[in-house]
Amino acid sequence: MYQKFGLFIGGRWTPGSGTMDVSSPVTEKTLGAVPIASVADTQSALDAAANALSALRDMGGFGRADALHKIADEMLRRTDEAARMISTETGKPLVQSGREWTLACDQFRWYAEEARRIYGRTIESRVPGGRFEVSREPIGVVGAFTAWNFPAALPARKIAPALAAGCPVVLRPSSQTPGVAMVVVDCIRAGGLPDGAVNLVVGQTSATYAPIMADPRVRKVSLTGSTRVGQQMIRDAADTVKKVSMELGGNAPLIVYDDTDLEAALDVITPTKFANCGQVCVTPDRFFIHESLHDAFVAGLIDRTSQIKLGDGLDESVTMGPLINARRLNEVDAIVQDAISAGATLARGGQRSPDFNTGHFYEPTILTGVRDSMRVFAEENFGPIAAITTFRDDDEVLTRANASEMGLSAYAFTTSPARARRTVETLNSGMVGINSFALAASEAPFGGTKYSGMGREGGLEGIEDYLDTKLAQIVI
C-alpha cells in the first residue's frame, strides 16, 4: 500500500534505499513494505531543503498564503482517502480519523492567514535622526519529528507554520504510521511550492534522526514524542545551537467538584478518555472525584464504558480501536496489574479483550481506590485506563493535582465561576479545560510546561518559533 509514494525529496517521490514492514494493530498482519532512507537519502533531503530556503522566502507571505490555501483545498478533497489510511495504520475509528484530518486541514487554513501577518515594528531611537526597525525572518531549515497517535494532525502542526514563516521542512514521521504522512505530503504538492520546501524521510534513527540533528543548516527542530526522547533531542540540539520546541508527555488531572452536573460531565468525559484507546497525551489520567459524587460517578462511568464497542476502526459501528502495538498492550496491562497488586480495586476491564484472537485490544478499564503514589497515577498511562481517587476540599485537590513533574493539560468540572477561575489560576499546566476538553484547535496555542515541554503549536504563538527577530538601527 506504500508503493504509490515512498520518500519525498526535492519535490519527487523516490524509492529509498531499502524497505521496512508496517503492521496492522488490528490484525497484526503486514500492511506493506515502506521505503526507508539511508544516511545519504536524508542528506539529500537536507540539501534540498537548504536549496529551497531562498525561493520559499522570496515567495513572500502572500504567496505562501495562497499555497497553503491550495494545500488545504487538496486535503479536503482527499478526506475519505486520508481517514481510511489513518484508521488502517492506527486502528482508531473512522469518525475519529475524519476529525483528525479536519484538524490537520485547519492548520493550513489558519497559517495561510498568519503568513500574511508576520509583522515588524519601528521604534524611536535615542540617536538624533535615527530609528530602530524590527523585522521577522524565517529561521531556516526545520527538522520535524512526529508520533504515531495523531499521524496527520501532528505533521500539519509543524509543517503549516514552518511554511507560513518561509522555512523548508524535513519531516521524519513515526515508522508505525508512515502512510498518513505520505498522504499529507502528497497533498502539499498541490501548493506549487519550490522543490525541497517539504521533504519526507522514514527509517532508522541512525539514518534519519542523526543526520538531521548534526546538520548545522537545520536551525530549528520540533518534536511530538516522549519526555525521554525530548530530553535527548535537547541535548543533541545543543551541539549546533538549534532552537527547539517540544510537545512531550502528559499526566493530566481531572477534578470533578461537588457542584458538577454529573450526567453532563460523564457524557463528555467517557468518550474523551477512551478516544484513540486512551493514547492521547492530553487525555485525563488522574481522576480526582469529590467524595460525595464518587459512587455515582463510578456507576455512570461503568454504564457508559459498557456501551463502547471494540473492533477495527474501519468498521463504522466501532467506537474504540486497539492499542498501537504489542509492547503498548503489555505496558498497559502491567500498569493495571501493578495498581491492583498495590491495593486498587478493579471496577471494570483490566485485561486484553477476550473477543479477539488477534490485534492489540484492551478493555476499557476503571480502577478505584487508587493512591497518588501508585504507578498508574504517578506516570502517564497512555491507555484506556481511568484511575480514580477521591478528595474532600479544594485546597487538597489542587495541591495533589499539581504534584506531578508533567504540566501539559488539566481539567475540572464545576458550575461555579469563582471556583473555575481559581482552578485555572492554581493548576500548573500549559492548558486548562473547564467543563471542556476542546484544547486542540488551530487558532489556540497548544503546549505544556515543566517536563511536558516548551514552545507552542497553533494560534499566533505557533509561528513564533519559526521566525528570527532582526534589529536594525538606521540613522539618516
Side-chain angles (χ1 to χ4, degrees):
M1 61 185 281
Y2 302 109
Q3 290 77 8
K4 177 181 176 183
F5 303 122
L7 309 180
F8 194 73
I9 299 174
R12 295 181 299 278
W13 290 110
T14 65
S17 300
T19 61
M20 177 174 57
D21 287 344
V22 178
S23 298
S24 165
V26 173
T27 66
E28 301 182 53
K29 294 180 180 178
T30 299
L31 292 171
V34 62
I36 59 174
S38 64
V39 171
D41 292 324
T42 302
Q43 193 62 53
S44 294
L46 291 164
D47 292 342
N51 291 336
L53 180 58
S54 294
L56 190 59
R57 176 177 176 171
D58 290 346
M59 288 179 69
F62 281 79
R64 295 193 298 270
D66 291 342
L68 266 63
H69 276 304
K70 290 176 183 176
I71 293 167
D73 289 341
E74 178 68 5
M75 291 179 72
L76 287 174
R77 187 183 70 81
R78 297 172 66 172
T79 295
D80 290 344
E81 171 196 353
R84 292 192 67 83
M85 179 67 84
I86 294 170
S87 291
T88 297
E89 289 192 326
T90 67
K92 70 173 66 173
L94 271 171
V95 65
Q96 295 177 27
S97 298
R99 285 200 298 265
E100 179 185 347
W101 189 254
T102 298
L103 177 61
C105 295
D106 283 349
Q107 294 289 327
F108 287 92
R109 289 280 188 229
W110 175 264
Y111 284 106
E113 297 308 312
E114 288 300 297
R116 308 177 200 267
R117 297 179 176 86
I118 301 174
Y119 299 133
R121 60 193 174 106
T122 301
I123 305 170
E124 183 179 355
S125 172
R126 302 184 190 192
V127 177
R131 67 174 184 269
F132 289 114
E133 288 187 356
V134 181
S135 59
R136 314 302 300 282
E137 298 181 348
I139 194 169
V141 175
V142 171
F145 300 85
T146 57
W148 47 263
N149 57 331
F150 288 94
L154 299 180
R157 280 183 183 170
K158 302 177 191 308
I159 295 172
L163 293 178
C167 299
V169 179
V170 178
L171 171 66
R172 197 276 197 184
S174 169
S175 58
Q176 295 180 98
T177 54
V180 180
M182 291 173 182
V183 176
V184 173
V185 169
D186 203 47
C187 290
I188 290 172
R189 298 172 66 192
L193 295 166
D195 290 345
V198 175
N199 305 272
L200 169 69
V201 294
V202 179
Q204 299 297 323
T205 299
S206 59
T208 54
Y209 172 88
I212 293 172
M213 296 305 298
D215 197 315
R217 297 173 297 180
V218 177
R219 300 311 312 142
K220 187 262 169 70
V221 290
S222 178
L223 168 73
T224 300
S226 70
T227 298
R228 177 186 59 80
V229 173
Q231 290 169 321
Q232 184 61 52
M233 184 174 285
I234 293 168
R235 288 190 286 267
D236 293 339
D239 290 339
T240 49
V241 196
K242 301 184 195 312
K243 195 172 187 178
V244 298
S245 61
M246 303 276 144
E247 196 262 284
L248 307 177
N251 188 17
L254 165 65
I255 301 170
V256 177
Y257 288 109
D258 57 356
D259 63 348
T260 295
D261 181 339
L262 190 58
E263 293 303 311
L266 282 164
D267 286 343
V268 178
I269 291 167
T270 307
T272 300
K273 173 59 205 178
F274 297 101
N276 202 17
C277 201
Q279 299 167 118
V280 182
C281 55
V282 293
T283 198
D285 280 343
R286 298 177 290 147
F287 284 52
F288 295 92
I289 312 301
H290 191 273
E291 59 184 11
S292 66
L293 298 179
H294 174 268
D295 291 352
F297 181 89
V298 172
L301 191 61
I302 291 173
D303 177 64
R304 285 163 175 79
T305 54
S306 68
Q307 299 172 43
I308 292 174
K309 181 180 178 181
L310 273 65
D312 186 344
L314 292 172
D315 178 346
E316 295 187 0
S317 68
V318 164
T319 52
M320 193 177 94
L323 293 159
I324 190 65
N325 54 35
R327 182 182 64 193
R328 184 98 291 276
L329 179 68
N330 292 334
E331 287 175 352
V332 165
D333 191 56
I335 291 169
V336 172
Q337 301 313 317
D338 176 79
I340 295 171
S341 297
T345 298
L346 181 65
R348 191 191 188 284
Q351 63 178 349
R352 177 173 179 163
S353 174
D355 296 331
F356 300 90
N357 294 322
T358 61
H360 312 304
F361 294 96
Y362 201 83
E363 293 183 341
T365 297
I366 301 170
L367 295 167
T368 62
V370 175
R371 296 191 304 276
D372 296 11
S373 60
M374 290 181 182
R375 180 186 175 193
V376 72
F377 236 59
E379 300 177 8
E380 179 180 33
N381 63 59
F382 217 61
I385 307 169
I388 300 173
T389 189
T390 60
F391 72 95
R392 288 187 178 182
D393 63 64
D394 293 11
D395 290 340
E396 170 205 345
V397 73
L398 291 170
T399 298
R400 291 168 66 192
N402 280 335
S404 171
E405 62 185 15
M406 299 299 182
L408 183 57
S409 60
Y411 308 95
F413 282 76
T414 178
T415 56
S416 165
R419 183 177 256 166
R421 178 50 53 197
R422 185 190 178 209
T423 299
V424 170
E425 292 173 350
T426 305
L427 288 175
N428 298 327
S429 180
M431 300 176 288
V432 180
I434 302 295
N435 302 323
S436 173
F437 295 100
L439 299 177
S442 59
E443 64 272 20
F446 186 101
T449 60
K450 301 190 285 187
Y451 280 64
S452 290
M454 62 189 76
R456 293 296 182 268
E457 294 181 328
L460 61 89
E461 294 85 353
I463 202 169
E464 294 296 318
D465 278 347
Y466 298 92
L467 295 167
D468 276 333
T469 298
K470 177 181 283 186
L471 174 68
Q473 165 78 289
I474 300 174
V475 179
I476 298 176

